[in-house]
Amino acid sequence: MNKETTPDPFQTKISCRKMGDSGVSSADYERIFKRFDANGDGKISATELGDALNGFGVSAEDAKRMMDAIDKDGDGCISFEEFADFAKDNRALMKDFAKAF
């Protein structure tokens, strides 16, 4: 019997090990993503990103710029894959988020 399974989006781009020399693990990235994904639908909307970043003192304009930069496919949401790509390029920021969350 060949049973199809849906791949775990949290393991698509990040293996279960420390990410480079940042000291932030894949579990930290998953936890951060889930904190931003307030409704738990597996993607971060512009509203969710803005609300989460507002708690860090980030303006709505800056949150919009971040959304535009991270949302590579232009669907208006940040997938975990897009988040993981951003996280790998911004390890110091992710380390700060990991401490905050």
Side-chain angles (χ1 to χ4, degrees):
M1 177 190 284
N2 187 4
K3 189 176 183 184
E4 286 189 38
T5 60
T6 303
D8 180 354
F10 297 111
Q11 297 304 320
T12 300
K13 296 292 272 184
I14 301 177
S15 66
C16 291
R17 58 182 169 74
K18 293 285 185 183
M19 293 300 298
D21 59 1
S22 70
V24 181
S25 70
S26 62
D28 289 326
Y29 287 127
E30 184 176 341
R31 183 172 46 81
I32 295 165
F33 181 86
K34 286 180 177 180
R35 288 291 298 263
F36 279 83
D37 178 21
N39 68 2
D41 67 355
K43 54 192 173 201
I44 301 169
S45 70
T47 300
E48 289 171 323
L49 181 66
D51 290 348
L53 292 176
N54 183 271
F56 290 98
V58 175
S59 72
E61 293 167 0
D62 286 340
K64 167 88 170 92
R65 280 193 284 275
M66 284 185 75
M67 182 71 175
D68 292 343
I70 300 169
D71 179 23
K72 297 296 185 188
D73 64 8
D75 68 351
C77 294
I78 299 170
S79 68
F80 185 74
E81 185 173 334
E82 290 167 327
F83 180 81
D85 287 343
F86 174 80
K88 286 190 293 186
D89 293 338
N90 296 277
R91 290 182 175 139
L93 179 61
M94 290 298 110
K95 191 173 185 177
D96 290 342
F97 283 144
K99 288 178 187 175
F101 293 139

